[in-house]
Amino acid sequence: MKIVSVRVTPIAISDPPLLNASGVHEPFALRSIIEIEADNGLIGLGETYGDKPVLDGLLQVKDHLVGLSPFDLNGAARAVHAAQSSGAAPANAVEIDLAPGSQLDKAEQKLFGAFEVALLDLQARSLGVPLHELLGGAVRRQVPFSAYLFFKFASDVDPSYRPDSWGEVLTPEQIVGQARTMIDRYGFGSIKLKAGALEPDVEVASLKALKRAFPNHPLRIDPNANWSLDTSIRIARELEGDLEYYEDPTPGLEGMAQLHRATGLPLATNMVVTGMDEFRRNVALNGVQIVLSDHHYWGGLRATQTLAAMCDTFGLGLSMHSNSHLGISLMAMSHLAAAVPNLTYACDTHYPWQDDEVLKGGKINIEGGCVTVTDAPGLGVELDRDALRALHERYLECGITQRNDAAQMRKLRPEWIAKKPRY
Ligand code: GKR
Ligand code: MG
């Protein structure tokens, strides 16, 4: 079997004005949809970031995969590496923090990871097995996700933005309302609060209100390194006993290690352990105790399984990070999580915030807080070409080529200045 063509289609998906440490989400989030077609007519699917540096890299690499066997993952890795080292793929081009946890220096891992998912999907389809089987077999069929709560504005300045049904969420009462809707709708059994956006005392009061409203739901808070070490220690004392884990409150691995020494709280990250060099330093420092994996920047599904094995070896917990995404990413995350025994925390997902979809049959079901992986071949999903075309046209029209939460915030609050840590 040989690869005969590779298509990369950038799309723009509607996204509500969600607040975070870097600003606010723009009305559209960008994704790239990847299709790898083999000479037997089968197509493998992938989904990744759609920002210009990554998209440019994907477009530079894609034709170099033609002629390879879909099973030749080393060949694909060489093609990505060659494009990167020739300077052809400028995927590391952006230097400032435009969005929390964007891992700007992970170009090669992002590019390879994006193609690897589509190659693994194609392999599994050609064997007639589900992707989780190719990854070692499912240890769970129902993959739990957490309710990912955000403070948010009611609407956006851009006329193109359709106001969403979630409304304004800037107070503890409103965040409890958001949690209730999300849990009623999807049955989530744990809750993550995106913080670092409002005054810390409002965010602490919100977490406490969530604890009162959902006493049996494990709770996490994630300020994306927007709190100083002193603020993080003060808040750790206020939240003691309320948290399942404390995610990236303060900047840097050293800062997190000091925080852990001072409080003893379990710390989690998708910001300071994002590659194996940082993993090694973390083991030496005992900075964080739980690593949030993400196949989109860890270099694909198999590299994330290596991370899982490393976490197991060094006694670290494993959870899963998310950015705004659609169903191909959700299914890749779910098949991976199904096949990783030590992924024992509910995974993050932005999926409930996205109304759009590129899949036949529309949105993927989340029931009882879980996505179910079946025995359908590969990822178990098919592209809806009309939906893909419409979202690609929106990409061409919307004018966004690079996520920039800070610039979006300044459109809404001209006096707002980027600063980290802010509190
Ligand atoms: O979408 O605003 C967001 C998140 O803050 C995202 O950028 C983070 O990467 O969800 C992520 C996280 O857990 O840090
Ligand atoms: Mg995080």
Side-chain angles (χ1 to χ4, degrees):
M1 189 172 36
K2 292 273 180 266
I3 296 168
V4 290
S5 77
V6 181
R7 289 184 287 281
V8 174
T9 310
I11 59 170
I13 58 179
S14 62
D15 203 19
L18 307 178
L19 296 168
N20 61 38
S22 298
V24 60
H25 286 208
E26 293 163 283
F28 301 107
L30 307 180
R31 301 297 282 169
S32 297
I33 303 299
I34 293 158
E35 296 169 76
I36 302 187
E37 187 166 349
D39 52 6
N40 58 5
L42 291 175
I43 296 176
L45 298 176
E47 175 187 338
T48 192
Y49 311 94
D51 301 85
K52 184 169 164 40
V54 174
L55 178 63
D56 286 349
L58 295 168
L59 294 172
Q60 294 283 357
V61 173
K62 74 181 187 66
D63 291 338
H64 298 282
L65 302 179
V66 172
L68 292 179
S69 157
F71 287 86
D72 188 4
L73 296 176
N74 288 333
R78 277 196 303 276
V80 170
H81 185 70
Q84 281 289 289
S85 357
S86 73
N92 282 334
V94 183
E95 279 145 24
I96 45 169
D97 183 20
L98 304 174
S102 32
Q103 319 309 351
L104 300 169
D105 59 339
K106 298 281 176 295
E108 202 162 320
Q109 291 87 335
K110 287 178 181 176
L111 298 180
F112 177 72
F115 290 119
E116 186 233 30
V117 172
L119 289 169
L120 291 174
D121 183 35
L122 186 49
Q123 291 179 17
R125 282 174 202 261
S126 75
L127 296 169
V129 300
L131 186 51
H132 57 74
E133 203 165 310
L134 207 60
L135 296 174
V139 293
R140 54 185 76 84
R141 290 303 185 116
Q142 270 80 39
V143 176
F145 286 85
S146 61
Y148 197 163
L149 309 184
F150 280 82
F151 296 105
K152 66 183 288 295
F153 296 139
S155 59
D156 211 288
V157 277
D158 299 50
S160 49
Y161 179 71
R162 274 185 294 124
D164 59 76
S165 58
W166 297 92
E168 180 182 272
V169 179
L170 296 172
T171 66
E173 297 70 35
Q174 289 170 329
I175 205 86
V176 168
Q178 186 186 95
R180 214 172 280 294
T181 304
M182 233 183 230
I183 289 168
D184 286 351
R185 226 174 255 178
Y186 302 105
F188 293 117
S190 54
I191 297 174
K192 164 167 171 165
L193 176 62
K194 173 57 57 176
L198 306 180
E199 287 293 328
D201 290 343
V202 176
E203 297 186 339
V204 169
S206 299
L207 203 284
K208 294 274 181 199
L210 288 166
K211 183 76 186 172
R212 281 193 299 278
F214 303 96
N216 299 320
H217 279 63
L219 299 176
R220 312 151 182 187
I221 192 165
D222 177 11
N224 281 120
N226 219 10
W227 295 347
S228 69
L229 183 57
D230 285 350
T231 303
S232 302
I233 292 174
R234 172 174 73 77
I235 290 176
R237 297 202 171 115
E238 292 183 44
L239 294 182
E240 209 161 352
D242 294 336
L243 291 178
E244 181 183 34
Y245 56 66
Y246 198 16
E247 181 176 331
D248 285 316
T250 206
L253 198 44
E254 284 77 8
M256 293 286 273
Q258 286 181 55
L259 177 61
H260 181 64
R261 280 199 297 278
T263 65
L265 277 187
L267 305 184
T269 190
N270 59 278
M271 298 180 81
V272 296
V273 179
T274 63
M276 284 304 169
D277 286 348
E278 290 170 343
F279 189 100
R280 275 191 288 276
R281 286 187 56 228
N282 181 57
V283 168
L285 288 171
N286 191 19
V288 307
Q289 294 68 46
I290 297 125
V291 178
L292 273 73
S293 60
D294 183 334
H295 72 268
H296 301 90
Y297 68 78
W298 271 94
L301 303 179
R302 296 186 347 147
T304 308
Q305 287 187 297
T306 302
L307 168 66
M310 293 289 283
C311 286
D312 198 34
T313 305
F314 287 93
L316 296 176
L318 184 69
S319 187
M320 193 183 277
H321 166 260
S322 147
N323 278 126
S324 308
H325 66 89
L326 293 186
I328 298 173
S329 279
L330 182 66
M331 289 318 296
M333 293 156 75
S334 300
H335 279 269
L336 173 64
V340 173
N342 58 324
L343 211 169
T344 50
Y345 292 99
C347 304
D348 290 353
T349 181
H350 285 56
Y351 197 63
W353 293 108
Q354 262 67 63
D355 292 336
D356 295 317
E357 191 45 280
V358 286
L359 298 178
K360 283 188 183 152
K363 303 290 291 181
I364 287 163
N365 275 344
I366 301 179
E367 275 174 29
C370 295
V371 172
T372 300
V373 294
T374 68
D375 282 336
L379 288 164
V381 292
E382 303 299 331
L383 258 189
D384 174 339
R385 297 202 165 275
D386 292 336
L388 182 68
R389 198 170 310 113
L391 294 178
H392 176 60
E393 273 161 27
R394 192 199 272 160
Y395 169 84
L396 296 174
E397 283 157 12
C398 80
I400 301 171
T401 56
Q402 172 76 48
R403 177 177 170 183
N404 189 336
D405 295 8
Q408 184 67 13
M409 183 59 119
R410 279 192 292 274
K411 289 188 199 165
L412 289 142
R413 303 274 188 277
E415 71 291 353
W416 190 87
I417 297 163
K419 187 174 178 229
K420 258 192 189 174
R422 184 177 298 278
Y423 304 106

